[in-house]
C-alpha cells in the first residue's frame, strides 16, 4: 500500500475543535470589552519597552553596534561507567566535552527584537573513538527568535534546533551509545492580549533527521498547530481551553504515519509571590496507518489507535532568596522508537540552593513508568535517576563545576536493564 493512498484515507481535522476555538474567541472578545484593564499588557508598546529594559539589565559582555553578545567557553571531562546503556558487557570511558555558548540580542527597532541562543560542542571518547561526535553538537535550547509587537499582538517567529547523540533522553533505548539526531522546529506563534483574556495560536514545522544509519527509520516531519485561550479571573489566576494537532509523516515505512489530537483545559495560578502552579488535562487520541510495524521484514503487531487522557502539573516554589524548587508530573502518550507509541507517566523535581555567596548547589530527580503499544519489543519499563551538582564562581570570569548523575532502568524484556554512573568536572570562562 503506497503512502499516497494512505494519506488519502486520513480523516480531516475534527470540525468541533475549530468550533471550540471560534466560540472561545467570541466569548473572549465579549468579556474583554466589558472589563477594565487590571494588569500590564503582554503586547504592544508598553510590553516592548518593558522587554527592552529587561534586555538592558542582562549582563552581556560584548557590544557590536546595536547587538549585545554574551559568550562563554566550557571544557569538561566526564567519566561514564556504562556508555552503551547495557545490561551486560558494560563499557566505561572518559569523555572530553568542549563547548561554546553564544547569546545575542538585537533590538532591530523599538518594537522588534531578534535573538540568537546557540550552544556548540563536541565529545571525544578516549577509549571508544567510534562514538566521537559526528560533526558538532548543538544544545537543545539553541534558537533564533524574532519578536514583533503590533498593537495588542505579540508575534514570535522562531527556529529552534538541536543536534544530540546521548540516548539518555529516550527511555525506550538500551544497548545504544550513539543516538545521533538533528531536530528542528520552525514556526510562528501569535499572542493576542484582550486584557481579560490571552489568546495564543501557533504553527510549527518539525523535522527529525538521524545522523546514524541505525536509526534512520525514525526520520520524519510533522505539522503542528496549537492554540489556547487564557481567561483571567483575577490578575493572578487564569483558566481556559487548549488544543493541538500533530500530523507526522515518516520517510520510511517502518513505523507508521499518524495523527495526534488533544483537547482539554488548564488552570494557572500565582498563589503567592513565591508559589506558582499550572495544572492541565484533557483527552488525547492518536490514529496510525497500520496496526503493525515492519522492522525491515519482521512484521510485529501493534496498536493502531490510542484513546487516553493527558494530565500534567507544574509547581514552581521559591522557599526564600536562597532556595528554589520545581516539581512536575504527568501522563501522556508519545511516539515510540520501537513501536507506534508509548504511554508515559513521569515525575521530575529540581532544587537549587545558593547558601554561600558564589556557590550554587543543585539536585535533580526523575521517575518514569512507560508502556510500549506493541511493536518490535513491546516493552514495559521503569526508569529512575538523579543528579547533584556544585558550582563555584572562582573569579568574575571563571566558574568551576562538579556533577554526579545516576540512572537505572528496569525492563520486562531480557537484557534491557541498565545502571549508569556519570561523574564530570568542568570549567567555564565567560568573556
Amino acid at each position: 500500500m503506497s503512502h499516497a493512498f494512505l494519506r488519502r484515507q486520513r480523516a480531516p481535522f475534527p470540525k468541533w475543535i475549530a468550533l471550540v476555538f471560534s466560540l472561545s474567541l467570541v466569548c473572549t472578545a465579549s468579556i474583554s470589552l466589558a472589563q477594565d484593564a487590571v494588569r500590564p499588557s503582554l503586547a504592544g508598546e508598553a510590553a516592548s519597552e518593558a522587554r527592552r529594559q529587561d534586555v538592558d539589565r542582562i549582563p552581556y559582555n560584548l557590544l557590536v553596534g546595536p547587538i549585545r553578545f554574551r559568550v562563554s567557553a566550557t571544557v569538561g571531562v566526564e567519566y561514564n561507567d556504562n556508555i552503551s546503556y547495557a545490561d551486560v558487557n558494560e563499557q566505561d570511558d572518559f569523555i572530553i566535552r568542549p563547548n561554546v555558548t553564544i547569546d545575542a540580542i538585537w533590538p532591530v527597532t523599538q518594537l522588534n527584537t531578534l535573538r540568537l541562543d546557540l550552544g556548540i560542542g563536541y565529545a571525544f571518547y578516549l577509549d571508544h573513538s567510534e562514538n566521537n561526535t559526528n560533526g558538532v553538537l548543538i544544545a537543545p535550547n539553541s534558537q533564533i527568535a524574532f519578536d514583533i509587537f503590533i498593537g495588542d499582538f505579540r508575534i514570535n517567529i522562531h527556529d529552534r534546533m538541536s543536534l544530540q547523540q546521548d540516548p539518555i533522553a529516550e527511555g525506550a533505548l538500551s544497548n545504544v551509545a550513539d543516538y545521533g539526531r538533528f531536530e528542528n522546529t520552525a514556526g510562528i506563534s501569535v499572542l493576542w492580549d484582550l486584557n481579560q483574556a490571552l489568546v495564543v495560536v501557533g504553527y510549527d514545522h518539525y523535522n527529525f533527521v538521524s545522523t546514524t544509519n541505525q536509526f534512520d527509520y525514525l526520520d520524519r516531519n510533522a505539522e503542528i498547530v496549537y492554540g489556547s485561550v487564557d481567561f483571567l479571573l483575577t490578575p493572578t489566576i487564569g483558566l481556559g481551553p487548549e488544543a493541538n494537532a500533530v500530523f507526522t509523516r515518516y520517510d520510511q515505512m517502518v513505523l507508521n504515519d499518524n495523527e495526534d489530537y488533544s483537547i482539554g483545559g488548564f488552570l494557572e495560578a500565582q498563589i503567592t509571590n513565591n508559589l506558582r502552579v499550572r495544572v492541565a488535562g484533557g483527552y488525547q487520541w492518536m490514529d496510525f496507518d497500520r496496526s503493525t510495524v515492519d522492522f525491515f521484514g519482521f512484521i510485529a503487531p501493534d496498536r493502531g489507535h490510542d484513546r487516553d487522557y493527558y494530565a500534567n502539573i507544574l509547581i514552581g516554589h521559591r522557599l526564600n532568596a536562597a532556595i528554589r524548587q520545581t516539581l512536575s508530573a504527568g501522563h501522556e502518550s508519545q511516539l515510540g522508537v520501537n513501536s507506534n507509541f508509548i504511554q508515559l507517566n513521569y515525575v521530575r523535581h529540581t532544587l537549587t540552593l545558593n547558601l554561600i555567596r558564589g556557590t550554587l548547589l543543585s539536585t535533580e530527580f526523575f521517575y518514569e513508568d512507560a508502556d510500549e503499544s506493541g511493536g518490535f519489543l513491546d516493552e514495559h519499563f521503569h526508569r529512575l535517576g538523579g543528579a547533584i551538582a556544585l558550582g563555584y564562581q572562582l573569579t568574575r570570569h571563571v566558574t568551576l563545576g562538579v556533577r554526579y548523575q545516576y540512572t537505572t532502568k528496569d525492563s520486562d524484556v531480557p537484557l534491557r536493564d541498565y545502571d549508569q554512573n556519570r561523574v564530570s568536572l568542568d570549567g567555564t570562562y565567560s568573556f
Side-chain angles (χ1 to χ4, degrees), residues 129-147:
S129 59
E130 68 275 10
N131 295 320
N132 287 353
T133 298
N134 299 319
V136 297
L137 300 175
I138 302 176
N141 58 350
S142 299
Q143 66 167 341
I144 300 174
F146 189 37
D147 285 330

Side-chain angles (χ1 to χ4, degrees), residues 23-98:
L23 291 176
S24 299
L25 292 175
V26 172
C27 294
T28 303
S30 300
I31 291 176
S32 64
L33 292 174
Q35 301 287 338
D36 294 328
V38 294
R39 57 166 181 81
S41 172
L42 296 182
E45 293 187 13
S48 178
E49 177 63 19
R51 177 75 63 87
R52 187 189 66 79
Q53 293 176 4
D54 288 339
V55 168
D56 290 341
R57 288 194 292 266
I58 296 176
Y60 286 87
N61 48 34
L62 180 63
L63 184 64
V64 179
I67 306 177
R68 296 169 179 263
F69 290 89
R70 182 170 52 189
V71 182
S72 63
T74 301
V75 176
V77 57
E78 173 189 309
Y79 173 74
N80 187 327
D81 71 350
N82 189 1
I83 62 173
S84 59
Y85 299 83
D87 188 20
V88 296
N89 299 322
E90 299 96 333
Q91 296 177 332
D92 66 334
D93 209 336
F94 285 92
I95 309 166
I96 309 299
R97 299 185 183 276

Side-chain angles (χ1 to χ4, degrees), residues 4-253:
F5 177 79
L6 293 172
R7 290 169 184 164
R8 286 196 297 268
Q9 301 302 309
R10 295 186 175 279
F13 184 79
K15 296 181 179 179
W16 62 277
I17 291 183
L19 179 61
V20 168
F21 278 118
S22 300
L23 291 176
S24 299
L25 292 175
V26 172
C27 294
T28 303
S30 300
I31 291 176
S32 64
L33 292 174
Q35 301 287 338
D36 294 328
V38 294
R39 57 166 181 81
S41 172
L42 296 182
E45 293 187 13
S48 178
E49 177 63 19
R51 177 75 63 87
R52 187 189 66 79
Q53 293 176 4
D54 288 339
V55 168
D56 290 341
R57 288 194 292 266
I58 296 176
Y60 286 87
N61 48 34
L62 180 63
L63 184 64
V64 179
I67 306 177
R68 296 169 179 263
F69 290 89
R70 182 170 52 189
V71 182
S72 63
T74 301
V75 176
V77 57
E78 173 189 309
Y79 173 74
N80 187 327
D81 71 350
N82 189 1
I83 62 173
S84 59
Y85 299 83
D87 188 20
V88 296
N89 299 322
E90 299 96 333
Q91 296 177 332
D92 66 334
D93 209 336
F94 285 92
I95 309 166
I96 309 299
R97 299 185 183 276
N99 66 77
V100 175
T101 300
I102 302 172
D103 299 307
I105 191 163
W106 178 17
V108 180
T109 70
Q110 184 178 358
L111 300 180
N112 306 325
T113 303
L114 181 65
R115 184 178 186 118
L116 168 68
D117 301 296
L118 181 63
I120 299 176
Y122 199 87
F124 298 93
Y125 287 73
L126 297 187
D127 292 332
H128 302 85
S129 59
E130 68 275 10
N131 295 320
N132 287 353
T133 298
N134 299 319
V136 297
L137 300 175
I138 302 176
N141 58 350
S142 299
Q143 66 167 341
I144 300 174
F146 189 37
D147 285 330
I148 305 171
F149 294 83
I150 304 175
D152 294 327
F153 296 89
R154 186 177 73 196
I155 303 170
N156 175 264
I157 303 171
H158 52 264
D159 188 359
R160 305 181 183 114
M161 69 290 292
S162 170
L163 179 56
Q164 296 292 294
Q165 290 187 197
D166 194 336
I168 188 66
E170 183 54 70
L173 293 178
S174 297
N175 305 302
V176 172
D178 183 357
Y179 179 49
R181 72 275 187 196
F182 174 73
E183 297 176 86
N184 191 84
T185 302
I188 182 172
S189 66
V190 179
L191 180 147
W192 183 16
D193 192 331
L194 294 168
N195 291 329
Q196 291 299 307
L198 302 174
V199 181
V200 176
V201 294
Y203 162 79
D204 283 325
H205 178 80
Y206 170 80
N207 288 97
F208 180 105
V209 180
S210 174
T211 61
T212 64
N213 293 333
Q214 181 180 0
F215 294 104
D216 60 5
Y217 69 90
L218 294 174
D219 291 357
R220 61 188 183 273
N221 64 83
E223 312 301 327
I224 306 168
V225 292
Y226 57 90
S228 66
V229 182
D230 186 357
F231 297 101
L232 301 177
L233 304 182
T234 73
T236 59
I237 299 177
L239 59 81
E242 62 179 11
N244 76 285
V246 184
F247 308 91
T248 301
R249 304 291 182 269
Y250 287 93
D251 292 353
Q252 301 182 31
M253 294 186 65

Side-chain angles (χ1 to χ4, degrees), residues 288-327:
F288 295 83
D289 284 348
R290 296 171 295 169
S291 296
T292 60
V293 294
D294 183 355
F295 272 86
F296 310 100
F298 177 79
I299 307 298
D302 207 326
R303 291 165 58 187
H305 307 280
D306 180 40
R307 304 291 185 267
D308 200 5
Y309 73 95
Y310 77 90
N312 55 75
I313 182 172
L314 175 63
I315 302 173
H317 186 206
R318 185 178 65 181
L319 280 72
N320 52 49
I323 305 175
R324 298 171 181 264
Q325 64 177 337
T326 61
L327 174 66

